[in-house]
Amino acid sequence: MKQEPISILLCALGGEGGGVLSEWLIDTARHAGYAAQATSIPGVAQRTGATTYYLEVFPLPLAELNGKRPVFGLNPLPGRLDMLVSSELLETARQIANGLPSAGQTLVITSSARALTTMEKMEVGDGRRDDAQLVKLVQDNSRAHHVIDMARLTREAGTVVSATMLGCIAGSGVLPFPAASYEAVIAEGEAKPSARVKASLRGFSLGLAAVSQQREQLRVVADSLSFSEQVAPVIRDLPAGMAAKFPPAVHDLLALGVARLRDYQDAAYADRYAQRLQRVLAAERVADPAGAHGFAVTREMVRWLALWMAFDDIVRVADLKSRASRWTRVLGEVKAQPDDLLKLYDHFKPGAPEFAALLPQALATKVLNWDRRRAAAGKLPWALPLKIGTHSVFGMVSLRFLASLKWLRVKGSRYAMEQAMIDQWLGAVVAGAQKNWQLGHQLALCGRLIKGYGATNERAKENLLHIIEHLAQVTHFESDALRAQAIAQAREAALKDEAGAALDQALLQHGAAARPVKAQPIRWVKTPPGRVKPAGSARV
């Protein structure tokens, strides 16, 4: 997976220690084992100007880069900032006016304190800018924001604002560094911290607590709004007969799952989902009759089973791309005005597997075998590049026609294959839960492995089924508790490493076979006449 550096812009007034803050962050990154780079743009001293410091931090530790070094940028790009931190409210607004933060990406942390500009002081009357308008500007141009009175916290700590800003950055969670790394850099290795260091640590602690508290408050509010505005209306739509068959602990997720599958296919498909869950619930009640674990096995299956049953295919993609809500969202993202002319093009590249998915098994096999013969002959897998203008009548009608093929989905080869795999996983969860609650729970959590599409999705399903066949259905474990532990370790290994090396190691550690190595075709690239043949012209 491609990794991008985390980009941060620091804005401090003259004499506020912006340079020290920048050095603290670089030293913290190095202390924690991460690569980082900082540049600065000097400004005029004191309030007539400010110095900005631009940092980039690579989100993976150096130890995981296998000797490679990331390439950093020297200056911020408009709309590409991950975090903007400023010690003064109007200075934050100035950076917003420069177009650096964006509503879709940037976390803005700003002080609510003001240091009046020369022009504000020169006004005969009250020349101060309206703080409420400045805060509104911050809200409109950030994905999230924290407005904190850093000046007050700095006075309480008896330090400079750079220490408080460092604590706010640490509390934001944007950087992957523990608080101990920041504190170690502030202490500078002093065995007995001086009064200056103690004051800086107090400022850091106050800033950290202020942002952490706001994040927790926002999380609680978001959870409450999410439940009241989204889950509760859906729960009311849950059929009474279906709700009576399940404990209240799973009703919220069950309602969402049923709604998702009705939208994906139809009511009969949602009923099949509920019938599968009833098998899991019955098995869990064998191991945990009183529901002491909150029906966690069933709850996890409610979540992951709904996601797997609503697998992506060309019918689903066409449906989502052609919905009115998507067009409304695009209009908002590009900020289109009523008189603007907007053209929207969607690019698709379906291959043989996507078309074969909607065909009966016999025809699908012929299409896939034909594509495999092409690959064996050194050709690229067949694909059909498409550019569809969703804004046009023809483009929208084409997508809506594809979206109407839900009836064909259930007759296709992929639908049959997905249902068979789901039933294999479901059977393992049911059998495991009947023997040992923890075993059933760990197998249910394996649903987390199913994600992505194309090759990523295929690999995820193969990993899950391999874990079931070689850890859940073998007899060499001394107890079901040890079996559950092995499954948990294998699952976490699969989630950490996309290539699967960690999963293979975990499997071998528990006496299971590693995943079989897949054959990959070698394609020979012909060198054009007159060109020197490059080294390693064979591509795997």
Side-chain angles (χ1 to χ4, degrees), residues 246-313:
F246 293 91
V250 304
H251 282 182
D252 54 347
L253 290 179
L254 177 63
L256 294 173
V258 169
R260 183 186 187 94
L261 295 176
R262 282 180 173 174
D263 175 70
Y264 178 81
Q265 189 63 37
D266 52 28
Y269 197 49
D271 289 340
R272 185 176 185 180
Y273 165 69
Q275 291 167 8
R276 283 170 162 164
L277 291 174
Q278 284 181 266
R279 292 178 55 197
V280 177
L281 178 61
E284 184 174 18
R285 280 176 167 158
V286 171
D288 183 15
H293 296 92
F295 298 98
V297 176
T298 304
R299 188 173 176 82
E300 293 298 337
M301 288 297 290
V302 167
R303 182 200 312 270
W304 304 116
L305 181 60
L307 294 176
W308 192 346
M309 289 181 66
F311 57 87
D312 285 332
D313 57 9

Side-chain angles (χ1 to χ4, degrees), residues 109 146 148 167-168 171-172 206-216:
I109 303 177
H146 298 285
I148 295 169
C168 293
S172 70
L206 290 174
L208 173 67
V211 172
S212 298
Q213 183 178 6
Q214 282 196 8
R215 287 180 65 194
E216 178 61 20

Side-chain angles (χ1 to χ4, degrees), residues 461-532:
K461 289 182 290 193
E462 289 170 1
N463 290 345
L464 185 149
L465 296 181
H466 193 89
I467 290 174
I468 291 175
E469 293 169 358
H470 292 82
L471 292 179
Q473 298 176 351
V474 295
T475 58
H476 67 268
F477 288 98
E478 296 180 359
S479 67
D480 288 327
L482 292 177
R483 187 192 306 273
Q485 183 180 358
I487 291 172
Q489 292 176 0
R491 182 188 66 249
E492 294 304 317
L495 290 170
K496 289 180 181 178
D497 179 16
E498 185 177 358
L503 172 58
D504 290 336
Q505 184 178 359
L507 290 167
L508 293 173
Q509 179 183 349
H510 294 288
R515 299 168 308 141
V517 178
K518 280 192 171 183
Q520 297 290 338
I522 297 177
R523 300 186 182 91
W524 299 92
V525 180
K526 186 177 181 180
T527 304
R531 289 185 59 185
V532 178

Side-chain angles (χ1 to χ4, degrees), residues 143-284:
R143 67 167 178 82
H145 62 278
H146 298 285
V147 180
I148 295 169
D149 190 350
M150 296 183 188
R152 178 182 61 80
L153 298 180
T154 301
R155 288 193 300 269
E156 290 180 10
T159 183
V160 291
V161 74
S162 55
T164 307
M165 293 172 72
L166 185 67
C168 293
I169 294 171
S172 70
V174 171
L175 294 175
F177 312 144
S181 294
Y182 294 92
E183 293 170 344
V185 168
I186 294 176
E188 299 177 335
E190 296 183 7
K192 185 177 181 181
S194 61
R196 173 185 59 83
V197 170
K198 289 180 180 178
S200 296
L201 289 173
R202 286 195 299 271
F204 171 84
S205 179
L206 290 174
L208 173 67
V211 172
S212 298
Q213 183 178 6
Q214 282 196 8
R215 287 180 65 194
E216 178 61 20
Q217 291 172 346
L218 290 171
R219 185 193 66 78
V220 172
V221 171
D223 288 347
S224 300
L225 291 176
S226 175
F227 182 84
S228 60
E229 296 179 6
Q230 299 176 19
V231 177
V234 178
I235 290 178
R236 289 196 294 268
D237 294 335
L238 185 65
M242 187 178 295
K245 297 176 182 178
F246 293 91
V250 304
H251 282 182
D252 54 347
L253 290 179
L254 177 63
L256 294 173
V258 169
R260 183 186 187 94
L261 295 176
R262 282 180 173 174
D263 175 70
Y264 178 81
Q265 189 63 37
D266 52 28
Y269 197 49
D271 289 340
R272 185 176 185 180
Y273 165 69
Q275 291 167 8
R276 283 170 162 164
L277 291 174
Q278 284 181 266
R279 292 178 55 197
V280 177
L281 178 61
E284 184 174 18

